[in-house]
Amino acid sequence: MRTPPSDRSLNLGILAHVDAGKTTLTERLLHLAGVIDEPGSVDSGTTQTDTLALERRRGITIKAAVVSFPLDDVTVNVVDTPGHPDFIAEVERALGVLDGAVLVLSAVEGVQPQTRILMRALQRLRVPTLLFVNKIDRPGADVEQVLSTIRARLTTDILPMGAATGSGSRAATFTPYRPDDPGFRERETLALAEHDERLLAAYVEGQARSPAVLLAHTAAQTREAVLHPVFAGSAATGAGVPELMAGIGALLPAAVPDARGAASGRVFKVERGAAGEKVAYVRMFSGAVRARQRLDLPDGRVAKVAGIQVFQHGDWLPADEVSAGRIGRLHGLAVVRVGDGFGESCRAEEHHFPPPTLEASVEAVDPARRPALRAALAQLADQDPLIAARTDRDGRPMVSLYGRVQQEVLASTLAEEHGIEVEFSDASVIHVERPRRIASAVERFNTDTNPYQATVGLRIAPGPAGSGLVFELDVAGRDMPLFLYKSAEGFAKVMRGHVERALRHGLLGWQVTDCRVTLTEVGYTSFDGPPSRRGPLPTALDYRKLTPLVLRRALERAGVRVCEPVLGVDLEVPTADATALQRLLGRWGAELTGQTSAGELTRLQARLVAVRLHELQRQLPDLTGGEGTLESRFDGYQPVRGRPPRRRGGHGARHQAGHTGARERVPT
Ligand SMILES: Nc1nc2c(ncn2[C@@H]2O[C@H](COP(=O)(O)OP(=O)(O)OP(=O)(O)O)[C@@H](O)[C@H]2O)c(=O)[nH]1
Ligand SMILES: [Mg+2]
């Protein structure tokens, strides 16, 4: 067994809008570092990171993949992520394990919708980020133009590190500015001065700093994620890639190992090995994990590490341990799920991107394969919990989806990896319910209406949009059944779990969200007597059964507002067709939020209910002679107009059996 070549490592994400060249750039970096003899190509399916048959066939990245190369004394682990918005969940999981990132843009297409979404997430998480303007060899490449759109639409905190010459041809090159070039020094000083008043004062007083001092400041501000150096080049020809590589080494922070203390890490990817066993990719934050170590995973799951691999010399090789700062593959964790943390990083993962907006039912073409389908979906949910595999009231499996491409990929995966042919049907938009007003309900111990041996009172109140569920206790400690739950915290956690489960299905079957639920009353004795331990004491089951009952009653009193997902759409169409499009959007009740014309092309921005997206995609080519382009992103929920739809097969439907509601179908 070999030990890793160095202690320090840099976990580097490559992120971009679909097709910007992330996978091609990853190949170039590996080639430059001497890990592979020839860079592979996405177009002929020979890259190191697009290894799935499906990725090779489609020429897109579907799963985040890890490769690594040595850079001086640092091991760089590169996480190549998918750019298609249907696979944003993969990016989400990668974000939590990065020390730095390269955000790739195309020199032809410039800032694209996903570029903005990713940049916002990187900034929110303060991930040190370099920008790489790729494809300078392509006709139409214009780095200066891209730089000005970056400033206008992404961030003004950038520092171009060189200039492209000969753009638009295979001979295009990138020349870094010399550190002592007076023009560059001035631009560098001014960019740094935005976040450093002393540098500004010195500059105003004419006390120029030396190039070395400026570079140190640039590195420091990059590491603080307040400045983003910009490189340019071509992943196809290799131009600019050595300069980017040097920038990665000089400007991005390598993790300083904290090998002391208890092991803590996070699983950001789960895949199936050759024999169908689970392989978990873990990023370690402190301590080390060794073979045969037991790991305490969330919800009391325990798993034992059977084997460890780390990436070296272009391959995953067996190792004795994976330590702080590094990425390793753990074998033998049968119960692991993606997103699991252990040790200090055990806390739940935060969400930076919106949830899937579609749900569809899946049927095995051969009914005899139904049980196998259910098992396969459960396995896939361990790799991607956001598909939320479940069964509806009629026992049909259902999944949540971001879009059509993900649905096709899921169908191919089930067919190729599990031998199950499936059909999706009834894809519909996922709605949510929000309570309308504040309401309460209570069931007390020993009363006629209460079938359980406990007292529970709950209040539900509307919360701000996007706030999810807030749960709080407003009861005295002496009334809590601490003989069941040990501590007030333990009791609160269990009750929160009951509330969460109950809110999965609101009055019309959709998940209830954006609300504050307060436990207002609790008890385990007759309400008019003093607390005592006499009489039949409640069990955990009483609280579990009674809570949803009381919450349901409170929700019925509060009433709900059913809300549907809304998308921000960005259209680029020939100016001659803009009016026709505006009229169509107007008919659909879309809100026009922006319009700019630059000669022949007009950009329209609008907020459109998600259910209309597919129709818009269908009509766009006809309305624009095939010239129009469309990008969309999730932009929150808004109350539905007219009669609210009821979720098909949802549990809320049981109160009005036979009523199918006015659910809108997404044309498929
Ligand atoms: N001309 C030119 N083509 C490039 C360059 N980089 C990538 N491409 C091509 O652009 C297409 C997309 O490249 P990928 O590397 O798959 O892009 P990606 O960002 O990984 O795409 P996804 O993972 O699917 O989001 C392929 O056809 C590449 O050959 C470049 O610098 N110049
Ligand atoms: Mg890719």
Side-chain angles (χ1 to χ4, degrees):
M1 291 197 188
R2 296 182 229 192
T3 43
S6 87
D7 280 346
R8 291 197 309 146
S9 49
L10 169 64
N11 298 303
L12 178 73
I14 312 268
L15 283 76
H17 190 92
V18 67
D19 261 3
K22 298 171 289 292
T23 302
T24 311
L25 178 62
T26 305
E27 285 296 306
R28 272 290 161 189
L29 291 169
L30 290 176
H31 174 61
L32 189 63
V35 172
I36 51 176
D37 295 332
E38 281 304 319
S41 127
V42 172
D43 311 287
S44 45
T46 52
T47 63
Q48 301 294 306
T49 49
D50 283 355
T51 51
L52 300 176
L54 257 176
E55 296 183 312
R56 300 197 154 172
R57 217 162 52 227
R58 287 181 166 258
I60 61 167
T61 303
I62 294 166
K63 294 274 178 194
V66 186
V67 287
S68 85
F69 61 83
L71 179 59
D72 303 326
D73 68 330
V74 174
T75 302
V76 182
N77 297 309
V78 179
V79 186
D80 177 22
T81 63
H84 195 287
D86 278 15
F87 307 112
I88 190 78
E90 287 289 307
V91 183
E92 166 116 44
R93 291 186 279 267
L95 277 176
V97 305
L98 300 180
D99 303 307
V102 175
L103 183 67
V104 183
L105 295 95
S106 155
V108 183
E109 280 85 12
V111 175
Q112 295 173 279
Q114 204 70 358
T115 324
R116 288 207 297 273
I117 290 170
L118 295 169
M119 187 70 187
R120 275 205 296 270
L122 289 165
Q123 286 179 321
R124 215 177 307 131
L125 287 164
R126 300 186 68 98
V127 177
T129 301
L130 307 180
L131 305 186
F132 184 69
V133 182
N134 188 30
K135 303 196 182 185
I136 60 168
D137 60 300
R138 263 184 53 193
D142 186 344
V143 176
E144 284 307 314
Q145 174 61 31
V146 174
L147 288 175
S148 62
T149 28
I150 289 174
R151 286 201 180 87
R153 297 169 62 194
L154 217 53
T155 171
T156 49
D157 292 321
I158 60 169
L159 176 63
M161 301 300 283
T165 38
S167 285
S169 86
R170 296 283 296 180
T173 53
F174 175 77
T175 317
Y177 297 123
R178 287 184 25 209
D180 56 355
D181 168 345
F184 175 65
R185 277 171 76 181
E186 175 167 336
R187 289 191 298 277
E188 188 176 26
T189 307
L190 288 175
L192 290 166
E194 288 291 322
H195 299 278
D196 192 331
E197 302 209 334
R198 283 165 310 167
L199 276 177
L200 183 62
Y203 175 74
V204 172
E205 285 160 21
Q207 298 169 353
R209 295 283 195 263
S210 74
V213 168
L214 287 178
L215 179 68
H217 279 284
T218 296
Q221 288 201 6
T222 305
R223 285 166 198 190
E224 284 167 31
V226 294
L227 182 67
H228 306 288
V230 185
F231 297 83
S234 162
T237 67
V241 179
E243 289 77 13
L244 174 68
M245 179 82 109
I248 291 169
L251 302 169
L252 291 179
V256 181
D258 176 10
R260 298 156 302 140
S264 99
R266 177 177 298 287
V267 175
F268 63 96
K269 173 182 164 97
V270 171
E271 65 180 21
R272 277 154 47 98
E277 80 286 8
K278 278 187 194 171
V279 182
Y281 288 68
V282 63
R283 148 92 205 236
M284 295 300 297
F285 292 102
S286 68
V289 166
R290 298 185 181 80
R292 289 175 297 284
Q293 186 164 334
R294 273 164 44 108
L295 294 180
D296 286 316
L297 302 174
D299 333 309
R301 283 171 292 136
V302 178
K304 192 166 160 188
V305 179
I308 298 175
Q309 293 173 308
V310 295
F311 204 94
Q312 282 176 59
H313 316 294
D315 215 346
W316 290 99
L317 300 176
D320 297 323
E321 63 165 42
V322 53
S323 58
R326 317 191 137 268
I327 285 175
R329 295 214 296 195
L330 305 183
H331 294 256
L333 308 183
V335 294
V336 77
R337 292 185 206 131
V338 76
D340 280 350
F342 50 88
E344 283 284 288
S345 11
C346 200
R347 71 198 147 68
E349 218 177 352
E350 282 175 71
H351 290 293
H352 309 287
F353 302 112
T357 55
L358 294 174
E359 65 180 358
S361 52
V362 206
E363 289 274 31
V365 173
D366 172 5
R369 300 289 285 152
R370 267 188 207 148
L373 171 60
R374 231 168 277 150
L377 285 173
Q379 256 184 31
L380 291 174
D382 283 340
Q383 300 173 20
D384 182 2
L386 287 181
I387 66 169
R390 59 197 177 271
T391 44
D392 70 7
R393 276 206 312 144
D394 311 324
R396 288 201 298 170
M398 296 196 76
V399 288
S400 300
L401 296 167
Y402 279 98
R404 280 293 289 278
V405 176
Q406 187 191 8
Q407 178 177 314
E408 287 164 22
V409 163
L410 204 53
S412 305
T413 308
L414 287 166
E416 286 161 29
E417 287 182 25
H418 300 267
I420 308 167
E421 294 292 335
V422 296
E423 269 169 8
F424 285 85
S425 56
D426 293 340
S428 62
V429 169
I430 298 176
H431 290 54
V432 295
E433 297 179 25
R434 289 179 181 146
R436 276 180 185 271
R437 57 188 90 81
I438 301 180
S440 315
V442 61
E443 276 293 351
R444 297 199 174 94
F445 196 84
N446 261 347
T447 53
D448 292 343
T449 53
N450 187 352
Y452 301 104
Q453 300 281 26
T455 295
V456 169
L458 290 165
R459 181 172 63 233
I460 187 161
S467 60
L469 165 68
V470 176
F471 176 70
E472 58 191 10
L473 260 54
D474 184 16
V475 290
R478 66 185 179 113
D479 295 334
M480 294 181 201
L482 298 186
F483 55 92
L484 285 174
Y485 299 105
K486 293 199 185 90
S487 67
E489 292 73 44
F491 177 60
K493 204 170 143 197
V494 169
M495 289 302 284
R496 188 194 157 93
H498 296 337
V499 166
E500 258 170 20
R501 264 190 304 282
L503 292 181
R504 269 184 214 156
H505 304 282
L507 301 184
L508 285 100
W510 307 106
Q511 171 152 21
V512 182
T513 187
D514 299 341
C515 58
R516 174 181 289 266
V517 174
T518 311
L519 184 68
T520 52
E521 215 172 306
V522 68
Y524 51 91
T525 59
S526 174
F527 71 93
D528 49 359
S532 92
R533 293 220 167 192
R534 275 182 293 117
L537 286 174
T539 63
L541 188 73
D542 288 305
Y543 290 98
R544 179 145 59 86
K545 294 277 195 189
L546 185 56
T547 305
L549 219 96
V550 174
L551 192 57
R552 179 91 190 176
R553 201 161 306 150
L555 191 63
E556 274 163 2
R557 288 177 187 156
V560 294
R561 195 168 267 134
V562 175
C563 300
E564 63 187 318
V566 184
L567 304 172
V569 293
D570 219 318
L571 290 148
E572 207 163 69
V573 299
T575 300
D577 303 321
T579 322
L581 257 147
Q582 272 174 334
R583 226 178 283 135
L584 180 70
L585 290 170
R587 246 198 337 268
W588 286 341
E591 175 196 348
L592 207 63
T593 51
Q595 174 167 8
T596 43
S597 295
E600 315 241 298
L601 276 184
T602 292
R603 279 189 56 203
L604 294 172
Q605 283 137 325
R607 290 186 84 232
L608 180 70
V609 288
V611 73
R612 293 288 188 192
L613 179 70
H614 297 264
E615 186 56 21
L616 180 59
Q617 278 166 338
R618 204 179 57 77
Q619 295 204 17
L620 191 64
D622 288 346
L623 285 172
T624 60
E627 295 284 306
T629 62
L630 161 69
E631 305 282 358
S632 66
R633 73 198 133 66
F634 177 80
D635 195 16
Y637 292 93
Q638 76 179 25
V640 295
R641 297 199 189 120
R643 190 152 76 143
R646 183 175 290 278
R647 189 182 200 172
R648 189 187 48 71
H651 295 62
R654 67 172 173 252
H655 296 284
Q656 287 182 29
H659 173 71
T660 52
R663 199 171 58 86
E664 282 174 282
R665 294 268 163 94
V666 176
T668 44

